[in-house]
Amino acid sequence: MILGDINNYNDIVNLNPRLLTALNWLKENYKTRFPKGEITLEEGAITVRCQEVAMMPQQMLEAHRKYIDIHAPQSEEETIGWSSINDLKNCINPYDESRDIESYGDAPQCLLQVRPGQFAIFFPKEAHAPNIGIGNHRKLCIKIAVD
């Protein structure tokens, strides 16, 4: 997991070649109010989900195996829980390969406060619980294939 500022990401782009593409796009577009839906940056490799989401006081942890997630709130601060899946004991929904998701009922090991202008990156097998808070917010969720 990485929490960073949209204007300062040069040191992390070498972790995955597609991170540079995704973060450059985010830097140029994070203030743009896109309609809800998906934008394809690289066919089969990088997709942006433009979301309007109701936040909740508590969310279930989810993890992926095929994608890196970048969460970037646009309108409100978002709390996101994080845990290593190696430490989780309470699998609620086993891994579904067709949807690339599994979910856990454990409490997050830590909570991140992510403000507009910031982003959080979650790597495969890192569980995260997005959209914790009160009210509604707009956000961008970028999915980057790891293959």
Side-chain angles (χ1 to χ4, degrees):
M1 178 270 307
I2 296 172
L3 175 64
D5 186 284
I6 287 172
N7 293 307
N8 187 16
Y9 56 80
N10 294 334
D11 294 337
I12 63 172
V13 296
N14 294 325
L15 297 174
N16 178 296
R18 294 180 180 129
L19 275 173
L20 180 60
T21 299
L23 290 171
N24 281 338
W25 183 91
L26 183 60
K27 184 176 181 179
E28 294 297 319
N29 293 284
Y30 78 96
K31 290 184 179 180
T32 304
R33 199 170 167 89
F34 294 102
K36 290 191 317 185
E38 290 191 356
I39 299 168
T40 300
L41 301 185
E42 188 178 313
E43 189 65 40
I46 306 173
T47 303
V48 180
R49 294 181 180 166
C50 308
Q51 303 172 328
E52 292 181 9
V53 183
M55 293 190 285
M56 303 293 286
Q58 185 175 353
Q59 296 284 8
M60 193 175 306
L61 287 161
E62 62 182 50
H64 312 289
R65 297 182 187 180
K66 298 177 184 177
Y67 292 92
I68 297 167
D69 275 7
I70 302 175
H71 291 255
Q74 291 185 290
S75 64
E76 303 293 330
E77 181 175 290
E78 171 185 14
T79 299
I80 303 176
W82 177 90
S83 291
S84 169
I85 64 166
N86 295 332
D87 298 326
L88 300 176
K89 308 286 186 234
N90 188 15
C91 183
I92 301 296
N93 295 305
Y95 182 67
D96 179 341
E97 186 172 359
S98 67
R99 294 178 50 231
D100 186 43
I101 193 166
E102 57 196 321
S103 56
Y104 296 87
D106 304 68
Q109 292 172 333
C110 69
L111 297 172
L112 305 170
Q113 307 301 318
V114 187
R115 294 185 224 139
Q118 296 179 326
F119 59 86
I121 301 174
F122 300 96
F123 293 92
K125 299 186 180 180
E126 290 185 320
H128 53 285
N131 307 314
I132 297 173
I134 297 172
N136 297 316
H137 77 131
R138 293 182 58 85
K139 69 183 290 183
L140 300 171
C141 180
I142 303 174
K143 308 285 283 180
I144 302 170
V146 293
D147 62 354

